[in-house]
Amino acid sequence: MLGTAVKTPALWVGVLFAALLVGMPALSPLFAAAFPGIRPEIFDRAAFPELFLSHLGLVAAASAAATVTGVALAVFVTRPAGRDFRTIANLLATVGQTFPPAAVLALAVPALGFGPRPTIVALFLYGLLPILENAMAGLDGVPGTVREAARGMGLSPWQILRDVELPLAAPVILAGVRVSVTIGIGTATIGSTVGALTFGTPIFDGLAGNKLPYVLQGAVLVALFAIVTDLLFALLARRLRVPGA
Amino acid sequence: MIEIDAVSKSYDGRAVVRDLTLTVPAGALCVLLGPSGCGKSTTLRMINRLVPFDSGAIRVNGEDVLGVATETLRRRIGYAIQSTGLFPHWRVADNIATVPRLLDWRPERVRDRVDELLTLLRLDPAIYAGKFPHQLSGGEQQRVGVARALAADPDILLMDEPFAAVDPITRDALQSELARIHQATGKTIVFVTHDIEEALRLATVIAIMERGRLAQLGTPLEIVEQPASDFVRDFVGVQGIGLKLLSVRRVGERVRRGETAAGAAIGAEASLADALGAMIARRADRLPVADERGETVGAVTLADLVR
């Protein structure tokens, strides 16, 4: 049991994350000693589990949309009919990534109002490029002989995509989603500047009110969240690996 | 039977196949032979419509290939290619089962067929069915590629330089395997190669192509003995013509019936080149000859080979 836990860092980092999430108030003596004079010692405008669920929801919604859009676009531009659109798709995704999320937030708020929606839009645009690029690379990487054999045996284009191309491209696509989601978890914190509840909320409150413990609490939790997610993706990647690759 | 009737194909105005007419009779092993760029591979791929043709008609067992849905057509025709194109994420059994599953065979029937084919290709199902392609040697992969092409028991098999990427010893073994399977199953096989030795060894009929046209159609013996043009003569090769003749003539043609000799018998279907090789290896000038049932029918001598 202990051996498994040590070999599976996702497990013990996950346990640590969960413990801090629910048990942060128990650490108030520690913060009181380290930062005398700051009351309350623990951020209390919202409970940490509540921040987590909201943060998770934002990233999940944005990443799910970015994954569906990115993979669908990659599939389209790697078909004969969509080949001409490849440059444009790439360009749009690059623009999405180079445009700072803070600027997207600023532009999106007038249209979408305060709250989670502009954050989801910003995360979606920011996260699209790694997924699109990896999905295109993954689909391009399917050996020509394999595709040729599949056609020659009478698989339909849809069957070739579903049974051959996507499974073979899956590890590369997953690597893109992993990068996108991990970056998204960090980036989502700025959503708190436009009223979304995230681990950024204690960070920005702490910065505004000069309360360092809140910054620390938010930062540690968001970092652990990102690490746990990354480790979970590593587990998933092992399962999707193509034999021999 | 495959009928290719006045078929032409060009890419961007460059003619690759020009007015090609060729009939492959049922049960033949027809080798399309020629230098690279002669259109042999394109011709093969037009039969199962991987390449669309511009004009003419192709009929398979009397049926116009354009009158059948492409996927249906391809599932009826076995297809094996160089470097196999095996699906790396599927086990050997699943690779072989590809077309039977597309045709919705019952799982038990698929399993039986996979075992049968692995056995036919001399791969033990207990060992190989569960392996992934990367765990196989090049020759084993190629065997699985052939098994996969045969899976749904198609009348017709198309093979595009299937043995070009393996080492000479493995290639030799695979060629023997294919000859054996062709004899055992009576399939119509169209086989593309640029290797004259391979063509002479396997073909019942050879179609030599030159710049998209048919340069000569004939048995291996006719191609070697009566080349129709300078191109064919040059391609078949002036040098070593004697040895090529040895490789296209069968021991059965020279056998002295009723006579005997010491040692293991050579098959009547073996080439004279094989017989010569066996004599040299055994330091013998006489070999017993056996028919396909393994019964000794006579003997062949060194002098008979050069008669």
Side-chain angles (χ1 to χ4, degrees):
Chain A
M1 176 62 211
L2 193 68
T4 324
V6 173
K7 267 184 277 180
T8 318
L11 200 65
W12 54 266
V13 181
V15 168
L16 177 64
F17 176 58
L20 277 180
L21 207 53
V22 293
M24 191 70 88
L27 297 181
S28 35
L30 200 69
F31 282 104
F35 304 96
I38 293 180
R39 292 290 177 277
E41 299 89 345
I42 305 293
F43 176 78
D44 65 353
R45 195 155 67 78
F48 287 111
E50 187 192 347
L51 294 180
F52 168 63
L53 287 180
S54 166
H55 195 140
L56 177 71
L58 291 173
V59 176
S63 295
T67 302
V68 170
T69 312
V71 173
L73 261 179
V75 167
F76 174 65
V77 301
T78 50
R79 301 306 101 179
R83 202 156 290 156
D84 295 344
F85 295 91
R86 188 169 178 139
T87 328
I88 299 175
N90 232 338
L91 187 71
L92 286 176
T94 312
V95 169
Q97 173 123 63
T98 44
F99 220 78
V104 176
L105 281 186
L107 290 173
V109 167
L112 301 170
F114 280 88
R117 280 188 299 178
T119 312
I120 292 176
V121 170
L123 289 178
F124 166 78
L125 290 176
Y126 201 56
L128 193 57
L129 181 72
I131 296 175
L132 176 68
E133 278 195 329
N134 275 47
M136 289 192 302
L139 291 169
D140 287 342
V142 175
T145 51
V146 171
R147 210 171 304 186
E148 160 92 4
R151 272 198 338 126
M153 282 188 295
L155 274 77
S156 67
W158 162 244
Q159 286 167 331
I160 294 174
L161 178 67
R162 185 194 61 191
D163 298 337
V164 178
E165 293 185 291
L166 285 178
L168 288 178
V172 184
I173 296 177
L174 185 74
V177 175
R178 181 176 174 178
V179 168
S180 174
V181 169
T182 316
I183 293 176
I185 289 174
T187 311
T189 50
I190 63 159
S192 294
T193 58
V194 293
L197 269 187
T198 72
F199 288 131
T201 310
I203 296 177
F204 287 109
D205 275 18
L207 290 173
N210 203 14
K211 291 182 170 165
L212 196 55
Y214 300 177
V215 178
L216 215 55
Q217 288 154 17
V220 165
L221 282 172
V222 78
L224 282 175
F225 181 22
I227 292 168
V228 172
T229 307
D230 192 57
L231 292 170
L232 288 175
F233 269 104
L235 288 181
L236 189 59
R238 222 177 298 165
R239 296 196 49 164
L240 285 185
R241 205 171 54 90
V242 174
Chain B
M1 184 170 70
I2 303 166
E3 296 158 279
I4 297 171
D5 188 0
V7 165
S8 296
K9 168 72 186 173
S10 45
Y11 285 114
D12 306 324
R14 194 173 54 84
V16 188
V17 173
R18 311 165 194 232
D19 196 26
L20 181 75
T21 297
L22 172 67
T23 298
V24 181
L29 198 163
C30 174
V31 170
L32 299 178
L33 178 66
S36 52
C38 72
K40 57 191 190 298
S41 193
T42 304
T43 302
L44 184 89
R45 288 149 50 85
M46 290 191 302
I47 297 172
N48 65 355
R49 290 177 61 191
L50 283 171
V51 172
F53 46 93
D54 301 336
S55 60
I58 297 179
R59 285 179 295 277
V60 169
N61 295 334
E63 191 176 14
D64 190 333
V65 294
L66 296 180
V68 191
T70 46
E71 273 101 40
T72 313
L73 176 77
R74 289 172 190 161
R75 288 170 197 182
R76 281 186 207 156
I77 298 177
Y79 185 57
I81 56 176
Q82 183 182 342
S83 73
T84 77
L86 291 180
F87 301 144
H89 57 308
W90 287 4
R91 293 173 194 278
V92 164
D94 297 319
N95 265 287
I96 295 175
T98 306
V99 180
R101 283 187 184 146
L102 288 173
L103 297 172
D104 286 326
W105 286 19
R106 290 194 328 278
E108 315 85 80
R109 188 175 168 209
V110 172
R111 208 174 318 120
D112 290 349
R113 182 65 179 156
V114 168
D115 284 0
E116 186 186 345
L117 284 164
L118 282 171
T119 310
L120 179 70
L121 272 300
R122 299 192 204 276
L123 297 168
D124 182 354
I127 297 173
Y128 287 94
K131 290 199 182 206
F132 283 103
H134 79 276
Q135 296 170 309
L136 307 179
S137 70
E140 289 165 347
Q141 290 185 12
Q142 216 49 259
R143 281 166 197 262
V144 175
V146 173
R148 184 171 69 170
L150 288 167
D153 204 14
D155 295 334
I156 290 168
L157 207 53
L158 306 179
M159 309 184 86
D160 195 351
E161 307 217 23
F163 309 144
V166 294
D167 63 86
I169 294 170
T170 308
R171 188 181 314 141
D172 191 68
L174 287 167
Q175 287 168 352
S176 305
E177 249 4 75
L178 182 65
R180 185 176 61 82
I181 289 168
H182 178 238
Q183 275 197 330
T185 60
K187 306 254 179 238
T188 310
I189 301 178
V190 184
F191 188 105
V192 164
T193 186
H194 59 267
D195 178 350
I196 175 77
E197 308 289 344
E198 186 167 61
L200 294 177
R201 176 160 185 197
L202 290 174
T204 60
V205 58
I206 295 179
I208 295 196
M209 292 184 67
E210 176 192 10
R211 284 183 290 137
R213 288 201 176 86
L214 188 61
Q216 187 173 359
L217 179 69
T219 64
L221 197 58
E222 286 165 355
I223 298 279
V224 174
E225 285 194 332
Q226 304 145 32
S229 64
D230 290 345
F231 170 80
V232 174
R233 184 176 297 112
D234 288 347
F235 189 76
V236 172
V238 184
Q239 289 191 336
I241 190 91
L243 289 177
K244 289 197 176 83
L245 281 169
L246 278 184
S247 67
V248 296
R249 290 193 183 276
R250 305 284 144 200
V251 169
E253 301 169 30
R254 304 289 170 87
V255 64
R256 295 165 182 252
R257 301 212 167 257
E259 296 192 19
T260 55
I266 188 163
E269 277 305 307
S271 69
L272 296 184
D274 292 338
L276 181 62
M279 287 177 187
I280 292 168
R282 298 183 201 173
R283 298 173 184 278
D285 60 0
R286 260 176 107 80
L287 294 175
V289 178
D291 62 14
E292 65 268 25
R293 292 191 304 278
E295 285 171 34
T296 308
V297 293
V300 65
T301 70
L302 182 58
D304 294 334
L305 303 185
V306 295
R307 200 167 63 199

